[in-house]
Amino acid sequence: MLDPRDLDDLIAIWQAGSLSAAAKRRRVAISTISRRIESLENALKLRLVDRQAKGTTLTYFGELIAKTAEPIAEQLARVNRLADGLRSEGGNLPVRLSATEFVISDVLAPALPALWTQGVDFPVHLQSQADVVSLAGRDADIAVRMSRPEGASLIMRKLPPLHLGFFAARAYLDKRQPSDIDLVRERLLIYDDSYGRLPELIWMEEMGLRTSVALRTGSTRALMTAAISGAGIALLPVAIAQREQELVQVPTTHAPPPRNPWLIVHRDLRHQPSIRVVHNWVLSTFAALVSGGN
């Protein structure tokens, strides 16, 4: 008998491109996923992966099996989602919300009191994850992502845009007026390409600011902390940076392009009462954040 988890692991390797990336996505040890693949190979009597010093990839047979198994795994996941929904009608199953570290810590966590006032009687799991999780694979129930996802089984809602701006500590400015600052001559702290070629990175190059970059990171919190310490001028979400009294916005002749976040839920889950409550809370939280940061 085939173990559905083994098929899920094979599909994860196919989608993620490597054994280590699949283990991270599945949130299991590499040794665990490797053992399951060996079990699957023994059951099918086929070699499904190439294990080499430079990494593990699927064989031709492995890719064929993974492609064929994907709709089967999705159907099994639908059964589990349906069962979760039926149980939640009389229980306290958690709602798992996945987002980046910045969204979890600086946007959603401070807004939790507004969620509790709605009489929520179920746990909420805020999962700080940079990787794009699979809602179809039940890695999370709801997700907030900074780029538009793909998937016919997903219901997507575009959230209000997050405007970006440059911010510096008063100590860094050292009595200089923000309007007198020439960003080309400063130390700039910006995002890296962890989430792909973001529009603001392209904008930076077009503005001739690439050679002024002193720090790149995928962490908004790191940019904020570095700016407050006086390490340089950081590109930050305006609505969040304005909360910090130590930071002053440095104007630019052309505003950086905004971030466009998306709220995602699986089609099978959208009518569950607990999912709707959290979904609407995220919508109202982003609306309040952006209205206060423009």
Side-chain angles (χ1 to χ4, degrees):
M1 295 292 292
L2 297 179
D3 188 332
R5 293 180 305 172
D6 299 344
L7 289 174
D8 287 339
D9 290 337
L10 184 69
I11 295 168
I13 297 173
W14 175 50
Q15 293 175 338
S18 69
L19 185 68
S20 58
K24 184 177 181 181
R25 174 179 292 188
R26 299 276 290 156
R27 286 179 286 179
V28 298
I30 294 178
S31 59
T32 298
I33 199 170
S34 180
R35 185 175 64 253
R36 290 178 183 171
I37 293 301
E38 288 181 6
S39 175
L40 185 61
E41 287 180 320
N42 291 333
L44 296 176
K45 295 180 174 55
L46 290 170
R47 188 165 64 89
L48 303 176
V49 298
D50 272 328
R51 298 173 177 84
Q52 301 177 4
K54 62 181 180 180
T56 300
T57 58
L58 294 188
T59 64
Y60 174 72
F61 293 148
E63 289 190 9
L64 286 180
I65 296 295
K67 292 177 182 178
T68 304
E70 187 178 29
I72 300 173
E74 169 60 17
Q75 288 300 317
L76 289 174
R78 290 193 67 181
V79 171
N80 284 320
R81 284 193 295 269
L82 175 60
D84 284 348
L86 295 173
R87 288 196 304 272
S88 69
E89 293 179 2
N92 294 318
L93 289 177
V95 172
R96 299 164 300 166
L97 195 159
S98 170
T100 61
E101 165 255 353
F102 152 66
V103 172
I104 293 294
S105 62
D106 292 275
V107 179
L108 297 179
L112 282 171
L115 180 61
W116 304 150
T117 59
Q118 299 181 46
V120 167
D121 60 354
F122 52 85
V124 176
H125 295 181
L126 297 181
Q127 302 173 183
S128 178
Q129 296 166 302
D131 295 335
V132 177
V133 299
S134 172
L135 298 189
R138 305 180 70 245
D139 293 335
D141 303 310
I142 305 175
V144 176
R145 284 293 170 253
M146 292 301 164
S147 59
R148 193 179 193 278
E150 297 180 358
S153 63
L154 302 178
I155 301 295
M156 294 167 277
R157 176 77 174 266
K158 193 172 185 179
L159 293 167
L162 294 175
H163 295 279
L164 302 175
F166 284 97
F167 288 81
R170 300 178 192 277
Y172 177 88
L173 294 177
D174 191 25
K175 298 181 181 180
R176 295 181 294 170
Q177 294 299 315
S179 58
D180 295 334
I181 296 297
D182 182 0
L183 292 177
V184 175
R185 302 177 185 276
E186 305 296 328
R187 292 193 302 272
L188 302 185
L189 320 175
I190 69 169
Y191 292 97
D192 60 21
D193 57 0
S194 300
Y195 304 109
R197 287 283 292 167
L198 297 171
E200 64 263 24
L201 300 182
I202 299 174
W203 175 86
M204 289 278 299
E205 295 180 358
E206 293 175 348
M207 296 296 292
L209 299 175
R210 183 176 182 179
T211 57
S212 303
V213 175
L215 170 70
R216 293 179 184 268
T217 176
S219 169
T220 298
R221 178 50 53 186
L223 289 175
M224 183 92 68
T225 303
I228 292 174
S229 73
I233 301 179
L235 184 64
L236 294 164
V238 174
I240 300 299
Q242 286 181 341
R243 298 175 182 173
E244 301 292 338
Q245 295 183 353
E246 291 297 318
L247 294 180
V248 177
Q249 186 166 4
V250 176
T252 57
T253 53
H254 300 284
R259 289 279 188 94
N260 293 299
W262 292 81
L263 179 58
I264 316 155
V265 63
H266 197 279
R267 189 178 301 275
D268 293 343
L269 299 178
R270 68 189 188 281
H271 295 309
Q272 288 187 22
S274 57
I275 298 294
R276 286 204 306 270
V277 169
V278 175
H279 187 275
N280 292 336
W281 168 68
V282 174
L283 288 175
S284 61
T285 298
F286 268 83
L289 173 74
V290 173
S291 65
N294 288 337

